[in-house]
Amino acid sequence: MSVSSPSKQNSCQLPTKKSALKETVDLLRIQAKMQRMKVSMSAEELMNYCLENAQDDCLLQGIPAGGNPYKEGKNCPVM
């Protein structure tokens, strides 16, 4: 039975750790380049969008009776 030394185990894990760290660094570089907005500006834009499009929102206005495909119809004439 052979027991591998700790230095051999660490050398096997080194490429895996190195690639994981490289991926993390690449992701952080991408995120650092992103354009940031203040939350207050984003919230204001979102509120304006919702108010401008409220008349077309079925959850706020309801579905017209004639245009509702999920409304239960009349009973089946066969029964």
Side-chain angles (χ1 to χ4, degrees):
M1 179 193 303
S2 67
V3 177
S4 60
S5 66
S7 63
K8 286 185 181 181
Q9 289 177 350
N10 288 340
S11 65
C12 292
Q13 294 176 354
L14 186 61
T16 306
K17 288 181 182 181
K18 185 176 179 181
S19 64
L21 289 173
K22 184 180 181 328
E23 287 179 18
T24 302
V25 169
D26 291 340
L27 180 62
L28 290 172
R29 284 185 179 149
I30 291 169
Q31 291 177 354
K33 292 179 185 177
M34 288 180 154
Q35 183 180 356
R36 308 284 184 197
M37 285 182 75
K38 291 186 175 185
V39 174
S40 58
M41 286 182 65
S42 297
E44 184 178 345
E45 286 182 13
L46 181 60
M47 286 174 46
N48 289 336
Y49 176 83
C50 290
L51 292 173
E52 289 171 5
N53 295 296
Q55 68 275 5
D56 299 327
D57 192 339
C58 294
L59 294 175
L60 296 175
Q61 303 298 325
I63 301 173
N68 186 355
Y70 301 106
K71 184 177 179 181
E72 290 187 29
K74 298 178 182 177
N75 290 338
C76 181
V78 177
M79 294 179 132

